[in-house]
Amino acid sequence: MTNLIRCLLLGWLMLLAGQGWTQTTQVLRGQVIDAETHQPIPNAQVGVADNRIGTSTNADGRFALSVPAALQGERLEVALLGYRKYTRALPPLPASELRIELRISPAALGEVQVTGSVLGIVKEAIARIPRNYPTRPTQLTGFYRESDNDPAGQPRYLAEGLLLAFKESYKKRTAEGEIQIKQSRKVDLRPDRQPIRIDWAGGPFIAHWGDFVHRRSEFIDPAHFKDYDYRLAPGSTFQDRPVYVVTFGPKAGTHRADFEGRMYIEQDSYAFLGAEWHYTSAGLKNSVHAADSRALRVAYQFYAGRWHLKTVWWQTTAKLPVGPPLKYFGEFLTTAIDTAQTPRPAYIERAQYYDVFLRNTVAYDSAFWQGHTTLLPPAAVQKSLFDQQRQQQADSLFKPSDAGTDPQERKLSAFDRFLKRFSYGSHLGAWPLAVPAADLTVAYAPAGYGLQMQRAASVRAQDLTVFTQFEYQYALTRELALSLATQRLHRQFEGDGWEVGLSYQRNLTPHHRPLYGRAGLGYLRQTVALPLGTFDNPDSGLHMAGTHLGADELSARIQTVNDALRPSLGVGLELSHRFELVADASYLVPLRSKTQLQVNEKSGFFLFRTSSAVDLPAADVDLRVNDQPTTRLPWQQRPWLLTLGLRYRVR
């Protein structure tokens, strides 16, 4: 009986889910196929009202386009390079799925082998970029998707977002730009929920990185023309416009060309209408991120007298050092263009490189993008989404509210919460040390042993002693953090130290790029040591301050060990959501100080080497400064300490 109830409930849920898809109104659905082969055509551009709204077909040639009531009297256009543009009046909505056939566009040009004249076409297209592309800032509204497939071709995850992409004037060569993430969602489609991290940072920025015209990619960069061969392939049309199809690739014998592919240049205006290319072996080696293959496809659309970015398609495959192979796929689709004098987004609104959708906890919902144009997932992804949604709904009926959560996922979420509070940084500073010139001699003759050590050293006058610090912080609250740091001296002195304390940080500019006021209090211990060199140990039974030093070779140094409180004040400037530049001024309040002779084992297995220190004054240690017996070293610690550092937030 229980199984029967379960089946009936599952069937009821499937029926409800199916009704949820069919009840969507004012959505135009269709499939684009080749008129001769009747095979589906992916990545065809579908637009309404001169591309005021649009989308692209998925791997099955299907699309779904939300059409506002005000545009239902407009015309539908479907275009793809190599095919004749398809146009017709929009049918009354809602309507059944359209079947659209695209016909091959006849070739317009034959094969041309004269490289010089082809290069002239490319140069002319570059010269006309200010004439063909926006010369003032514009804003694109677009839909972004990324996913990763396992070796069997099944998607591991799906992440989607509604973006605003701010574009600078195309007169300026840049691959940078602001991105705002207006909405986003994710879904993890791994059936076993294996505890591996799937994280492709910076994906939404392909709206800028993939814009080869704006960034003047290498294959249209005059500085690299010498590395490429350019040829004219059989021509075609794009949106009923005749184009030059220019192929490019490395010249014979060169390894300096990173790309190979083809671009489409309109014959009348010399505008770049699109390109498709992949990285050469040299390009993969020169890439920041290692990969086995990387390919891109980019297209532009005409609007308000200029060409604007329409689509970016990006695919990367790589064998990772840890975890399964990566088969990343990302795409961006422009759904609206704002050509008004768009203000630059404020810092607080901008996405950063490490803002990825996979940290979004919004559950996958088929109605999430209601009212927005999206990219329709392929049939295999839709099936995975539906199966997972159906299983989650069934689990919620037959299990307690937290029983369906994998224990490993709960651990990972707790770990994520910990990492979100965790940061670390490196600092460079001037250690406050007054060092006069002096001559030192140190003699050590422990009673009862055969060791007779005598060493001389000169101290150079020094105004600046450099130290480096590595600091870890854990945020107790939004503004208060626990810190632990290690530090090391450089130049003629050596010495390690540590510090533990509390730091307070408050944002002074909450509506702009954060500028923090900083205050802290720490307890530190720092060693300042002068090396005295190495010497042979004639007595394998040597004991120093109760520690056995039996190695054949020993080293010695004379040092001060200082304990102090360290109150500090400073500022921090956020460079990005991950990085912060900090500067601090501190005052050292001395608590105690001691002078020591330290002896270390130099030979033997490094894991078992020991060291020992004798506090001065000591009967078996004779310290002289400028030939005068003393127990104090010539350098003195000053109170003021200045540091400059860079902090990194893990999350």
Side-chain angles (χ1 to χ4, degrees):
M1 178 63 69
T2 301
N3 290 336
L4 178 60
I5 295 174
R6 181 188 292 265
C7 292
L8 290 174
L9 285 173
L10 285 176
W12 176 67
L13 290 171
M14 291 176 64
L15 179 61
L16 287 180
Q19 289 177 348
W21 286 95
T22 59
Q23 288 173 357
T24 306
T25 60
Q26 295 186 351
V27 173
L28 176 68
R29 301 181 184 276
Q31 184 181 29
V32 181
I33 63 173
D34 187 292
E36 296 183 3
T37 65
H38 299 289
Q39 295 298 311
I41 299 177
N43 304 308
Q45 297 183 24
V46 182
V48 171
D50 293 327
N51 286 319
R52 288 173 61 186
I53 61 170
T55 186
S56 294
T57 58
N58 65 9
D60 308 310
R62 285 188 159 84
F63 67 88
L65 179 62
S66 297
V67 181
L71 299 181
Q72 292 191 33
E74 299 286 346
R75 297 192 67 80
L76 169 69
E77 295 181 355
V78 182
L80 184 66
L81 283 168
Y83 288 89
R84 293 176 179 172
K85 182 170 68 175
Y86 173 93
T87 179
R88 59 160 291 178
L90 276 174
L93 297 178
S96 58
E97 183 180 73
L98 295 179
R99 182 181 175 88
I100 299 171
E101 296 184 352
L102 294 188
R103 300 189 179 276
I104 296 290
S105 176
L109 298 171
E111 183 76 19
V112 177
Q113 302 293 339
V114 183
T115 302
S117 64
V118 180
L119 184 56
I121 295 173
V122 178
K123 290 180 178 179
E124 182 65 21
I126 297 170
R128 295 198 192 186
I129 287 176
R131 191 186 307 178
N132 290 321
Y133 297 86
T135 56
R136 62 182 185 179
T138 57
Q139 181 176 274
L140 307 180
T141 301
F143 184 81
Y144 172 76
R145 170 183 293 142
E146 67 177 43
S147 63
D148 174 43
N149 291 340
D150 62 21
Q154 296 299 314
R156 292 192 182 99
Y157 74 90
L158 183 69
E160 299 172 322
L162 183 67
L163 311 180
L164 295 183
F166 180 87
K167 290 282 186 180
E168 293 277 8
S169 165
Y170 276 69
K171 291 181 178 179
K172 178 182 178 182
R173 174 180 181 174
T174 180
E176 304 297 327
E178 281 74 45
I179 292 289
Q180 293 183 53
I181 303 175
K182 304 298 289 184
Q183 287 181 283
S184 64
R185 66 173 174 183
K186 67 154 186 176
V187 58
D188 190 340
L189 296 170
R190 296 169 296 171
D192 52 0
R193 297 293 196 279
Q194 49 189 319
I196 62 171
R197 182 171 181 80
I198 302 175
D199 190 356
W200 188 259
F205 285 86
I206 67 173
H208 297 303
W209 297 340
D211 191 345
F212 74 93
V213 175
H214 209 173
R215 70 181 302 169
R216 312 294 199 272
S217 292
E218 184 179 285
F219 52 85
I220 60 169
D221 181 358
H224 293 275
F225 283 163
K226 62 182 181 298
D227 302 324
Y228 283 89
D229 262 333
Y230 297 91
R231 297 180 181 274
L232 207 60
S236 184
T237 61
F238 178 70
Q239 296 185 0
D240 293 337
R241 301 171 186 262
V243 295
Y244 297 111
V245 182
V246 178
T247 64
F248 56 88
K251 281 187 177 178
T254 184
H255 299 286
R256 294 186 297 270
D258 290 346
F259 308 112
E260 184 175 14
R262 62 176 58 203
M263 50 188 156
Y264 305 91
I265 302 173
E266 188 182 25
Q267 293 183 20
D268 295 334
S269 67
Y270 285 86
F272 294 101
L273 306 191
E276 51 194 43
W277 69 95
H278 63 269
Y279 280 59
T280 62
S281 57
L284 292 172
K285 292 178 182 177
N286 295 334
S287 298
V288 176
H289 301 289
D292 298 322
S293 68
R294 183 173 286 120
L296 292 92
R297 184 165 58 246
V298 178
Y300 297 84
Q301 64 178 333
F302 192 74
Y303 178 75
R306 300 281 174 165
W307 289 89
H308 302 263
L309 183 71
K310 174 65 175 177
T311 59
V312 178
W313 177 93
W314 190 315
Q315 187 171 46
T316 296
T317 61
K319 294 181 179 67
L320 302 179
V322 179
L326 171 77
K327 191 172 183 181
Y328 164 82
F329 175 76
E331 55 186 333
F332 173 82
L333 166 72
T334 298
T335 58
I337 302 171
D338 182 2
T339 58
Q341 289 290 350
T342 307
R344 182 185 296 273
Y347 172 83
I348 210 71
E349 300 171 340
R350 301 176 196 167
Q352 300 289 332
Y353 178 78
Y354 287 99
D355 290 337
V356 293
F357 300 132
L358 295 179
R359 302 193 185 105
N360 189 335
T361 58
V362 177
Y364 198 92
D365 178 8
S366 61
F368 187 79
W369 298 117
Q370 188 173 4
H372 295 291
T373 296
T374 65
L375 296 168
L376 196 63
V381 177
Q382 291 189 60
K383 182 178 183 301
S384 298
L385 292 172
F386 183 73
D387 289 345
Q388 186 187 76
Q389 187 179 38
R390 182 182 59 187
Q391 187 61 47
Q392 289 174 347
Q393 289 171 330
D395 290 342
S396 67
L397 290 174
F398 294 103
K399 297 179 180 179
S401 58
D402 62 345
T405 306
D406 184 75
Q408 184 64 41
E409 284 194 333
R410 289 197 295 271
K411 292 179 183 178
L412 286 176
S413 62
F415 184 63
D416 283 344
R417 288 195 298 271
F418 169 78
L419 288 181
K420 192 172 182 179
R421 295 172 173 260
F422 187 73
S423 64
Y424 58 87
S426 296
H427 302 260
L428 179 68
W431 188 259
L433 205 62
V435 185
D439 294 322
L440 276 72
T441 59
V442 181
Y444 176 49
Y449 299 102
L451 177 64
Q452 298 285 334
M453 183 206 80
Q454 184 165 346
R455 286 290 182 271
S458 295
V459 178
R460 302 187 306 275
Q462 185 173 306
D463 295 326
L464 180 65
T465 300
V466 178
F467 84 101
T468 54
Q469 183 183 68
F470 197 82
E471 180 185 34
Y472 300 90
Q473 281 196 350
Y474 181 76
L476 302 175
T477 67
R478 183 179 295 273
E479 297 176 336
L480 187 66
L482 178 67
S483 62
L484 175 66
T486 59
Q487 47 215 27
R488 173 166 294 185
L489 297 185
H490 301 278
R491 298 190 72 183
Q492 70 173 320
F493 296 102
E494 63 183 31
D496 297 318
W498 55 265
E499 179 181 4
V500 62
L502 292 171
S503 65
Y504 177 82
Q505 181 166 283
R506 185 176 181 84
N507 186 7
L508 305 177
T509 56
H511 300 296
H512 303 282
R513 180 185 295 273
L515 177 66
Y516 297 100
R518 293 164 48 84
L521 179 64
Y523 179 91
L524 69 82
R525 172 171 291 178
Q526 179 63 49
T527 300
V528 181
L530 184 69
L532 299 174
T534 61
F535 55 93
D536 294 332
N537 179 14
D539 195 334
S540 61
L542 173 67
H543 280 74
M544 180 179 180
T547 301
H548 179 225
L549 301 173
D552 295 334
E553 187 178 24
L554 304 174
S555 67
R557 67 182 193 177
I558 193 76
Q559 64 188 26
T560 58
V561 180
N562 303 297
D563 291 343
L565 290 178
R566 181 187 173 189
S568 63
L569 292 173
V571 294
L573 177 65
E574 185 169 302
L575 304 178
S576 73
H577 289 181
R578 289 298 182 91
F579 289 96
E580 179 185 342
L581 184 66
V582 296
D584 294 302
S586 309
Y587 188 86
L588 298 180
V589 181
L591 297 178
R592 65 184 64 87
S593 178
K594 56 186 176 182
T595 304
Q596 294 179 326
L597 173 68
Q598 180 172 296
V599 178
N600 306 308
E601 291 185 330
K602 294 293 290 183
S603 60
F605 189 55
F606 71 94
L607 290 178
F608 298 98
R609 296 177 190 173
T610 58
S611 64
S612 183
V614 176
D615 294 337
L616 301 186
D620 48 7
V621 178
D622 180 34
L623 171 64
R624 294 176 180 269
V625 176
N626 295 327
D627 209 26
Q628 298 295 319
T630 184
T631 59
R632 296 178 64 86
L633 293 170
W635 54 83
Q636 297 294 323
Q637 183 169 289
R638 292 173 176 170
W640 289 103
L641 175 64
L642 302 176
T643 61
L644 182 68
L646 188 68
R647 286 181 55 206
Y648 174 80
R649 298 183 184 89
V650 177
R651 292 294 172 85

